[in-house]
Amino acid sequence: MPKAKSETELKCFPQALMLDFYPQFWTKAFDFKGRTKRIDYWKIFLVNLVLGAILLKLFPDALYYIFAVASICPGLAMNVRRIRDTGRQWQWIFILLVPLIGGLWFLWIGCQPSSAPE
């Protein structure tokens, strides 16, 4: 007779998939005021990267582009919240307009720890 899985084993399974937080990315699409923790930012970034790659490989036309366009506003809001979480003003998002150096600088900002709440 097979052993039943313990409650802790069942609780850990959704955490391993990292998808329990993903709906927050879409529901906070127009929330530019809050904060996004570093771990949440990078988990959402990773899921979007993998999902985008899968959609590009399987559906190289319409579905991938619909996902990419639909992700613009939630992604922008998440980036602004992450900048605010590091203690910087939201205007730092414009550093991305500087070729190459801006992207590297923004990556550095995204890796910074959260600051104390104001």
Side-chain angles (χ1 to χ4, degrees), residues 20-60:
D20 56 338
F21 62 89
Y22 192 68
Q24 170 186 327
F25 173 71
W26 296 101
T27 57
K28 289 187 168 187
F30 300 103
D31 178 17
F32 290 86
K33 298 281 185 192
R35 300 173 79 151
T36 299
K37 295 179 196 170
R38 180 172 43 179
I39 188 70
D40 294 337
Y41 177 81
W42 288 110
K43 285 194 288 187
I44 290 171
F45 180 83
L46 180 65
V47 169
N48 277 342
L49 187 69
V50 169
L51 188 58
I54 290 171
L55 288 176
L56 183 61
K57 189 74 168 169
L58 296 178
F59 307 101

Side-chain angles (χ1 to χ4, degrees), residues 50-110:
V50 169
L51 188 58
I54 290 171
L55 288 176
L56 183 61
K57 189 74 168 169
L58 296 178
F59 307 101
D61 292 329
L63 193 56
Y64 168 73
Y65 291 109
I66 290 170
F67 173 74
V69 170
S71 297
I72 291 173
C73 192
L76 184 62
M78 182 183 69
N79 284 319
V80 168
R81 289 192 312 265
R82 178 68 197 131
I83 290 170
R84 291 170 50 84
D85 188 52
T86 62
R88 293 170 177 79
Q89 294 181 348
W90 68 270
Q91 288 92 346
W92 275 96
I93 192 81
F94 296 117
I95 195 73
L96 288 169
L97 297 176
V98 177
L100 187 62
I101 301 298
L104 293 173
W105 193 293
F106 192 78
L107 180 66
W108 180 79
I109 290 172

